[in-house]
Amino acid sequence: LRWAKVIPAYVEWANQRERDGWQYALGEVWAEHTMQWDNGHILLRGRLDRIDERALDNGDYERVVLDYKTKKKGALSSRLKTHEDHQLAFYGLLRPVAEVDDAGNKQYIDAVDGAAYVALELERNKTGDCEAQEYGKWKHDLEELIVDSMQAIQQGSPLPAHGVESVCQFCDMRGLCRKGAWQ
């Protein structure tokens, strides 16, 4: 029932997006990227909701990843301002897998140039997307954070627990998580 109420606004948003030159390219696509550093590496993997692309005047294409959220656009905009949620930046580090041949060799498409959350809840009878600002810098900063953290762990640094003590003290999962054990 909730989705039925959103459909007209979503179609209006999608049609405007097409008028702006964006075309659906891929959906529900696996993506990955191996990050390497001295004495180590890690394979990052994820599944992207949607990739759109549009042609540029020079003949190249600009690609963006869109991630659908069952939230209002205003809440998603606030979420992007704090950069606490690294989901979109993480997706930007990945290369979408376009094809896998019989031998298991993967063909990748270029990484995305931008990202946005797409709101699937109505706000003033509208929906839309919230574009991540300074996306290149955000991706770069996240990549550095991942490499620095992984190198520190390799060198024996403890993995810091996240969570606020005033909340964690009431958590039923306290015995399962790292909070209190690795500090």
Side-chain angles (χ1 to χ4, degrees), residues 30-95:
W30 280 103
E32 61 187 33
H33 174 64
T34 300
M35 293 175 58
Q36 297 183 342
W37 57 89
D38 292 339
N39 302 321
H41 68 280
I42 188 170
L43 175 63
L44 306 178
R45 296 188 76 202
R47 189 170 190 92
L48 310 179
D49 285 352
R50 174 176 166 172
I51 297 176
D52 281 4
E53 63 184 19
R54 68 176 167 186
L56 301 174
D57 292 338
N58 65 6
D60 288 339
Y61 282 89
E62 176 182 19
R63 290 185 180 85
V64 298
V65 63
L66 300 176
D67 192 67
Y68 292 101
K69 296 291 183 198
T70 54
K71 298 205 179 297
K72 294 179 181 179
K73 187 176 175 182
L76 294 173
S77 292
S78 296
R79 185 176 181 172
L80 284 174
K81 287 177 186 170
T82 64
H83 282 186
E84 288 180 25
D85 178 353
H86 294 293
Q87 183 177 9
L88 291 180
F90 180 85
Y91 286 164
L93 298 177
L94 306 178
R95 301 255 335 261

Side-chain angles (χ1 to χ4, degrees), residues 13-25:
W13 166 81
N15 288 338
Q16 181 59 53
R17 192 162 176 77
E18 282 189 27
R19 286 191 294 275
D20 292 340
W22 291 103
Q23 296 293 314
Y24 172 89

Side-chain angles (χ1 to χ4, degrees), residues 37-169:
W37 57 89
D38 292 339
N39 302 321
H41 68 280
I42 188 170
L43 175 63
L44 306 178
R45 296 188 76 202
R47 189 170 190 92
L48 310 179
D49 285 352
R50 174 176 166 172
I51 297 176
D52 281 4
E53 63 184 19
R54 68 176 167 186
L56 301 174
D57 292 338
N58 65 6
D60 288 339
Y61 282 89
E62 176 182 19
R63 290 185 180 85
V64 298
V65 63
L66 300 176
D67 192 67
Y68 292 101
K69 296 291 183 198
T70 54
K71 298 205 179 297
K72 294 179 181 179
K73 187 176 175 182
L76 294 173
S77 292
S78 296
R79 185 176 181 172
L80 284 174
K81 287 177 186 170
T82 64
H83 282 186
E84 288 180 25
D85 178 353
H86 294 293
Q87 183 177 9
L88 291 180
F90 180 85
Y91 286 164
L93 298 177
L94 306 178
R95 301 255 335 261
V97 178
E99 182 179 315
V100 180
D101 65 21
D102 293 337
N105 299 314
K106 297 174 184 170
Q107 299 292 322
Y108 298 95
I109 65 170
D110 291 337
V112 297
D113 306 299
Y117 286 129
V118 179
L120 295 180
E121 289 288 333
L122 293 176
E123 190 168 46
R124 292 186 287 276
N125 293 321
K126 292 191 175 197
T127 189
D129 60 88
C130 304
E131 186 178 347
Q133 302 299 311
E134 299 181 8
Y135 192 59
K137 180 179 180 340
W138 191 17
K139 289 188 312 182
H140 178 266
D141 291 350
L142 179 60
E143 186 169 25
E144 282 187 348
L145 177 65
I146 292 170
V147 169
D148 290 348
S149 296
M150 295 306 296
Q151 286 177 320
I153 291 168
Q154 271 184 313
Q155 296 167 6
S157 293
L159 183 62
H162 297 287
V164 179
E165 186 60 36
S166 62
V167 174
C168 291
Q169 67 183 338

